[in-house]
């Protein structure tokens, strides 16, 4: 793993922690109380969304880079 990749992951983790802290502070200002099961469901949903979107983007770029999206049409041949 390169230094740049590591810094991006650290920055993303920090941004996620700041966003989570912001959610907790906002909800506590509104008087919302949540059980530990609710927080676990919230965390699993957020992590699941990130994993799903990351996986779909990986599939998109992998498919494009390895030619799986190329259309083979005989009328496009130069010969």
């Amino acid at each position: 793993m390169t230094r740049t990749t590591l810094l991006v992951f650290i920055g993303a983790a920090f941004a996620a922690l700041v966003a989570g802290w912001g959610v907790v502070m906002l909800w506590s200002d509104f008087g919302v109380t949540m059980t530990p099961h609710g927080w676990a469901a919230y965390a699993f949903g957020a992590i699941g969304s990130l994993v799903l979107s990351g996986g779909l983007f990986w599939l998109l770029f992998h498919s494009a880079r390895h030619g799986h999206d190329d259309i083979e049409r005989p009328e496009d041949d130069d010969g």
Side-chain angles (χ1 to χ4, degrees):
M1 188 178 302
T2 65
R3 176 179 276 177
T4 304
T5 305
L6 186 61
L7 287 175
V8 167
F9 280 131
I10 291 171
F14 180 73
L17 288 173
V18 169
W21 176 79
V23 166
V24 171
M25 291 295 110
L26 181 68
W27 284 359
S28 66
D29 286 345
F30 288 141
V32 175
T33 57
M34 199 177 319
T35 65
H37 291 113
W39 284 111
Y42 186 81
F44 285 137
I47 291 168
S49 295
L50 290 173
V51 168
L52 180 63
S53 62
L56 289 174
F57 270 109
W58 179 83
L59 283 173
L60 176 91
F61 287 117
H62 177 76
S63 174
R65 289 180 181 154
H66 289 90
H68 298 292
D69 297 335
D70 295 342
I71 298 173
E72 296 181 16
R73 291 182 279 184
E75 64 269 10
D76 291 341
D77 289 340
D78 291 336

